[in-house]
């Protein structure tokens, strides 16, 4: 699950709503939570809403800082929010990646970080992302992938598979844009045998049926959407024909 915008909230009512989302997520088997200091209050709200349930969660947050000093401050804050360890620490948008990578490697040796990754949303940066992947110093990447944004198929996903890296998929719904013009319900009928009853589920299953992708992180502020999205993480998976069908529905 992503937390951009949806968890960047303050005030009792909004934070209570965030807790309901986390309650639903955990009860539906959703346990991977992505955040970043770029998302305002999101890391704090995620940490506070998890509280005693921290052990049940896989926290993937990010360092996003113009210097290693600023990065260290962000990391110290995140470690406080998340009980003293981060499961996956990602370098956001590759900003100052050489500096942050060295810091994160030390934290990994100390056991405060379990795995290190790198993220970028922009295909113009995929050359640099490939170079970081080839250093052998990261074990996961986060990239955008959906039937409308397929640039990663060219270079990034094949390389990730060769290097056996974990792949986290951001923006599965194109920041919600792919859901605004959903196909007619009847068009989803051929996908019912795959447990797909909604367009959001079709898009998530399209991503997760590519076995080079391991986690999709849709963001939602709606508990019902959470349940719907979680169900798409279960097999049976699409084959090439169903994936091509979903891509055609995009038009
Ligand atoms: N590293 C990076 O550079 C980067 C960049 C962008 C994003 N990300 C990460 O990726 C995550 C996901 O991307 P995103 O937040 O941009 O967009 P997204 O997940 O593609 O789309 C989110 C939108 O989809 C809607 N939605 C979710 N489930 C739905 C459902 N079942 N039915 C109908 N609408 C549904 C949400 O509205 P409702 O609230 O109404 O459900 C929200 O408006 C972010 O939260 C962040 O963690 C990372």
């Amino acid at each position: 699950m992503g937390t951009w915008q949806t968890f960047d909230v303050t005030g009792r009512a909004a934070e209570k709503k965030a807790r309901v989302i986390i309650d639903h997520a955990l009860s539906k088997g959703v346990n991977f939570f992505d955040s970043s200091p770029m998302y305002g209050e999101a890391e704090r709200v995620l940490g506070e809403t998890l509280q005693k349930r921290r052990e049940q969660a896989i926290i993937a947050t990010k360092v996003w800082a113009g210097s290693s000093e600023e990065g260290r401050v962000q990391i110290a804050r995140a470690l406080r929010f998340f009980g003293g360890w981060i499961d996956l620490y990602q370098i956001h948008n590759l900003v100052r990646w050489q500096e942050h990578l060295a810091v994160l490697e030390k934290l990994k040796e100390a056991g405060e970080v379990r795995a290190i990754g790198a993220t970028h949303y922009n295909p113009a940066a995929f050359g640099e992302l490939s170079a970081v992947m080839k250093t052998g110093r990261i074990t996961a990447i986060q990239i955008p992938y959906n039937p409308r944004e397929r640039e990663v198929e060219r270079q990034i996903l094949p390389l990730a598979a060769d290097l056996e890296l974990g792949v986290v998929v951001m923006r599965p719904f194109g920041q919600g844009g792919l859901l605004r013009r959903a196909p007619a319900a009847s068009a989803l009928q051929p996908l019912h045998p795959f447990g797909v009853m909604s367009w959001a589920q079709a898009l998530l299953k399209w991503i997760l049926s590519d076995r080079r992708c391991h986690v999709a992180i849709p963001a939602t502020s709606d508990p019902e959407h959470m349940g719907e999205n979680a169900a798409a993480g279960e097999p049976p998976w699409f084959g090439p024909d169903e994936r091509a069908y979903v891509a055609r529905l995009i038009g």
Side-chain angles (χ1 to χ4, degrees):
M1 186 191 93
T3 60
W4 180 50
Q5 293 179 320
T6 48
F7 273 57
D8 182 12
V9 295
T10 50
R12 273 181 66 180
E15 292 181 21
K16 201 169 156 198
K17 201 172 157 204
R19 187 179 301 272
V20 172
I21 297 290
I22 293 292
D23 293 348
H24 265 67
L26 293 172
S27 74
K28 301 285 179 190
V30 171
N31 64 352
F32 187 101
F33 303 104
D34 178 75
S35 197
S36 170
M38 189 200 261
Y39 307 160
E41 297 296 316
E43 284 184 308
R44 177 187 63 77
V45 173
L46 178 60
E48 286 176 3
T49 51
L50 275 170
Q51 284 188 345
K52 293 197 176 75
R53 301 171 295 180
R54 170 64 181 93
E55 295 275 354
Q56 296 173 48
I58 298 171
I59 297 294
T61 196
K62 310 189 190 82
V63 56
W64 177 64
S67 69
S68 47
E69 290 71 35
E70 190 190 347
R72 279 179 219 277
V73 172
Q74 288 182 353
I75 292 166
R77 201 170 50 218
L79 286 168
R80 276 199 308 280
F81 291 147
F82 298 117
W85 85 97
I86 304 294
D87 301 283
L88 173 62
Y89 229 120
Q90 306 159 105
I91 301 167
H92 203 150
N93 291 350
L94 301 177
V95 175
R96 300 275 190 145
W97 66 265
Q98 290 94 337
E99 288 172 46
H100 299 314
L101 190 48
V103 173
L104 292 174
E105 284 174 329
K106 289 217 171 70
L107 289 164
K108 193 171 167 217
E109 275 169 32
E112 289 172 301
V113 167
R114 298 214 166 135
I116 301 172
T119 84
H120 216 295
Y121 69 95
N122 186 347
F126 287 169
E128 189 179 6
L129 180 60
S130 302
V132 180
M133 292 161 74
K134 287 177 192 162
T135 63
R137 294 168 68 188
I138 63 169
T139 52
I141 54 168
Q142 183 181 142
I143 41 83
Y145 188 39
N146 60 56
R148 190 165 279 155
E149 295 180 273
R150 301 183 66 159
E151 291 86 349
V152 289
E153 288 177 346
R154 221 175 309 153
Q155 184 187 4
I156 297 293
L157 288 180
L159 181 61
D162 278 355
L163 297 171
E164 299 183 357
L165 300 186
V167 174
V168 179
V169 176
M170 67 168 87
R171 290 203 314 234
F173 305 136
Q175 299 182 267
L178 292 176
L179 296 171
R180 280 194 272 279
R181 280 180 38 216
S186 58
L188 298 180
Q189 249 163 11
L191 306 175
H192 287 182
F194 296 85
V196 166
M197 309 309 278
S198 73
W199 181 226
Q201 289 178 331
L203 292 168
L204 290 172
K205 196 153 269 198
W206 183 92
I207 294 165
L208 295 171
S209 297
D210 183 323
R211 303 315 303 218
R212 298 169 297 187
C213 300
H214 304 102
V215 188
I217 49 168
T220 184
S221 52
D222 181 327
E224 269 185 38
H225 289 169
M226 171 58 64
E228 184 184 328
N229 296 346
E234 298 289 337
W237 304 114
F238 291 159
D241 291 348
E242 292 78 27
R243 290 190 89 232
Y245 178 72
V246 171
R248 280 200 303 277
L249 290 177
I250 292 278

